[in-house]
Amino acid sequence: MSETAEKKKVIFSAIQPSGTITLGNYLGALQNWVKLQDDYNCIYAVADLHAITVRQDPKAFRQNILNAYALFIACGIDTEKSPFFIQSHVHTHAELAWVLNCYTQFGELSRMTQFKDKSQKHADNINAGLFTYPSLMAADILLYQADLVPIGIDQKQHLELTRNIAERFNGIYGNTFRIPEAYIGETGAKIMSLQDPTKKMSKSDENVNSWVAILDKPDTIMKKFKRAVTDSEARVCVGEGKDGINNLIGIMSCVTGKTTDEITAEFEGKGYGDFKTAVGEAVVEKVRPIQERFDRLIADKAYLEEQYRKSAEFALRLSQRTLDKVMKKIGYVAR
Ligand code: TYM
C-alpha cells in the first residue's frame, strides 16, 4: 500500500502468535483479511506484545512469531498490498498504549470477559498486562485511524472499549481518532470446539481434539473431525440443540463456499460418519496448499525479514503521525 493510495477505507487487524493458529483463527479472521485486501487499505500485524500476558519460553516464542508471520503470508496476505508487520518492531504501539491506559477506567477493564476467563485459567499469573491488554489493542487500531477491524465475535467487547476510549479522548481534546467499527464476517465469526460445541474453538483448550490447527497433518485433521461431538438425531441439518452439527455445517460452508441448504441437500439420508469424513476431507484440501507455501516460506528467512522490515517502516511512519498529534494535544513538549 502506498501512502498516497486512493482514499479507500482503512482496515487494521492483528493475531497473536501462539504456537497453533487454529481453523477458528483462519475462518474467523485470516480468510477475511485476505479477501479484504483489494477493496481496502489493509494493515495487519502479528500481535507479539500481547502474547507475553501469558508466560512464553524465549526460544519457542521467537519461532512462533516467525511461524505465524510465514503462515499468514502462506494464507494469502500480500505485503505488496497490505503492510504486515511484527507489533514489537513498531514502538508507537507501546507508547500510545501507555497514554490510553490513562484514559481507560479500571471498571471498564474489569468488565472484560476475556480478562475474567484468562485470569481464571492462569490464576498464578494475573499480571497487570493481562488487565490492560485492551488499551494496547485500542492503540493498535487507533494509531492507523482504522475505519474497520475484522475480528471474530470474541473480540467484539474489546472493540467496543476501543470505541469508548477514542470517543472519550476526542471529547476532551477534539477530533483526534477515527471511531472504528467491527467487521464480522457472515460466516466463521465463531467456530466452536469439536469436543464441546457450546465453547469457541481455542488453542488454549487442553483437549487437543477440540481444535484443528492449520498446520495439523492430514491424518490428524481427519481423526479430529471423526471424533467430533454430535447429537443423536442423525440428520445433517441446522437445528436447535444440534450445536456440534451446526458447527460442522458452518465449517463446511466456510471452506467450500457452499450454502447451508446446499450442504443439507447433499447429505440428505446420509449418516454423521459420512458427513464428518467429508468435512475433514474438505478442510484437508483447504489447508494443503497453505501448508506447502508455509514450508517454502519458513525456509526463506531473508525473504521474511525483508517483508517485515519494509512493513514496519511503513507502519512506523503512519502511526507516528497519530502519536505526534496525540502528544501535542495532551500538552507534551515536541522533541
Ligand atoms: P486472537 O489472536 O485470539 O485471535 C485472532 C483472531 O481470530 C479470531 N478468532 C476466532 N474467530 C472465530 N472463531 C473462533 N473460534 C476464533 N478464535 C479466534 C479472533 O476474534 C481474532 O479476530 N486481541 C486479539 C489480537 C489483537 C487485535 C488487535 C485484533 C491485538 N491487537 C487489534 C484486532 C485489532 C486476539 O487476541 O486475537
Side-chain angles (χ1 to χ4, degrees):
M1 179 176 110
S2 82
E3 275 169 89
T4 52
E6 59 190 286
K7 277 273 163 251
K8 290 179 186 168
K9 284 195 170 169
V10 175
I11 284 208
F12 180 87
S13 201
I15 297 192
Q16 292 199 56
S18 76
T20 2
I21 301 297
T22 67
L23 194 62
N25 295 133
Y26 179 70
L27 299 178
L30 267 167
Q31 192 167 250
N32 287 330
W33 290 18
V34 173
K35 283 188 201 147
L36 294 164
Q37 293 183 107
D38 287 326
D39 296 330
Y40 298 91
N41 282 335
C42 298
I43 305 167
Y44 297 129
V46 173
D48 59 343
L49 293 176
H50 282 89
I52 61 163
T53 51
V54 295
R55 207 61 81 226
Q56 301 283 349
D57 167 72
K59 199 164 159 232
F61 187 41
R62 197 168 295 120
Q63 192 57 52
N64 285 342
I65 296 169
L66 283 176
N67 282 355
Y69 194 83
L71 182 57
F72 300 163
I73 294 185
C75 286
I77 304 293
D78 177 353
T79 52
E80 292 301 323
K81 290 186 200 152
S82 322
F84 174 43
F85 64 94
I86 298 175
Q87 186 189 26
S88 63
H89 292 180
V90 183
H91 59 75
T92 44
H93 289 247
E95 288 173 42
L96 184 63
W98 168 253
V99 172
L100 296 183
N101 266 332
C102 303
Y103 297 83
T104 309
Q105 298 302 305
F106 183 88
E108 289 176 308
L109 293 171
S110 314
R111 285 193 288 277
M112 294 295 113
T113 49
Q114 188 169 307
F115 170 68
K116 292 188 215 162
D117 289 351
K118 288 207 173 167
S119 27
Q120 255 176 13
K121 263 191 201 146
H122 303 278
D124 55 337
N125 184 20
I126 308 177
N127 57 72
L130 193 62
F131 188 64
T132 61
Y133 176 115
S135 318
L136 176 59
M137 182 160 157
D140 298 340
I141 298 166
L142 299 177
L143 276 172
Y144 301 96
Q145 305 289 354
D147 296 285
L148 292 171
V149 184
I151 42 172
I153 285 173
D154 63 316
Q155 294 297 321
K156 212 173 149 209
Q157 196 187 28
H158 289 159
L159 193 82
E160 283 302 318
L161 180 58
T162 300
R163 291 166 56 90
N164 291 343
I165 299 170
E167 278 165 1
R168 181 171 306 137
F169 196 96
N170 287 354
I172 303 171
Y173 299 104
N175 202 11
T176 311
F177 296 122
R178 190 163 303 155
I179 309 297
E181 273 176 41
Y183 177 99
I184 296 183
E186 281 160 30
T187 49
K190 197 164 187 186
I191 302 296
M192 309 309 273
S193 152
L194 297 183
Q195 291 296 311
D196 176 359
T198 60
K199 288 195 321 203
K200 79 161 183 172
M201 181 182 285
S202 165
K203 52 220 167 192
S204 55
D205 199 317
E206 276 159 23
N207 184 348
V208 293
N209 289 318
S210 72
W211 45 260
V212 171
I214 303 295
L215 294 178
D216 271 347
K217 299 261 175 300
D219 54 339
T220 309
I221 296 178
M222 291 308 295
K223 227 185 303 165
K224 288 181 178 176
F225 276 104
K226 282 182 183 162
R227 287 187 186 156
V229 167
T230 48
D231 55 79
S232 53
E233 198 197 10
R235 260 196 79 212
V236 179
C237 62
V238 171
E240 221 169 293
K242 291 170 70 74
D243 297 318
I245 286 295
N246 294 347
N247 188 38
L248 292 178
I249 292 178
I251 293 174
M252 189 67 159
S253 168
C254 278
V255 294
T256 59
K258 290 180 187 163
T259 64
T260 304
D261 288 346
E262 284 167 346
I263 295 167
T264 310
E266 192 178 333
F267 289 91
E268 177 80 60
K270 293 199 180 134
Y272 284 168
D274 288 343
F275 182 53
K276 288 199 261 187
T277 302
V279 180
E281 283 169 353
V283 170
V284 167
E285 284 319 306
K286 185 80 184 176
V287 299
R288 192 190 304 281
I290 297 176
Q291 295 188 352
E292 285 167 5
R293 282 196 295 271
F294 172 81
D295 290 342
R296 278 199 303 275
L297 282 161
I298 200 65
D300 193 349
K301 297 280 183 300
Y303 174 79
L304 294 177
E305 190 178 326
E306 194 190 327
Q307 304 314 306
Y308 61 68
R309 277 203 183 175
K310 205 172 57 181
S311 295
E313 276 167 25
F314 178 90
L316 180 60
R317 272 200 308 280
L318 205 60
S319 59
Q320 189 72 58
R321 286 190 209 156
T322 302
L323 185 64
D324 287 350
K325 198 156 127 187
V326 166
M327 301 307 262
K328 190 168 169 203
K329 292 210 173 189
I330 295 176
Y332 283 104
V333 175
R335 270 177 255 215

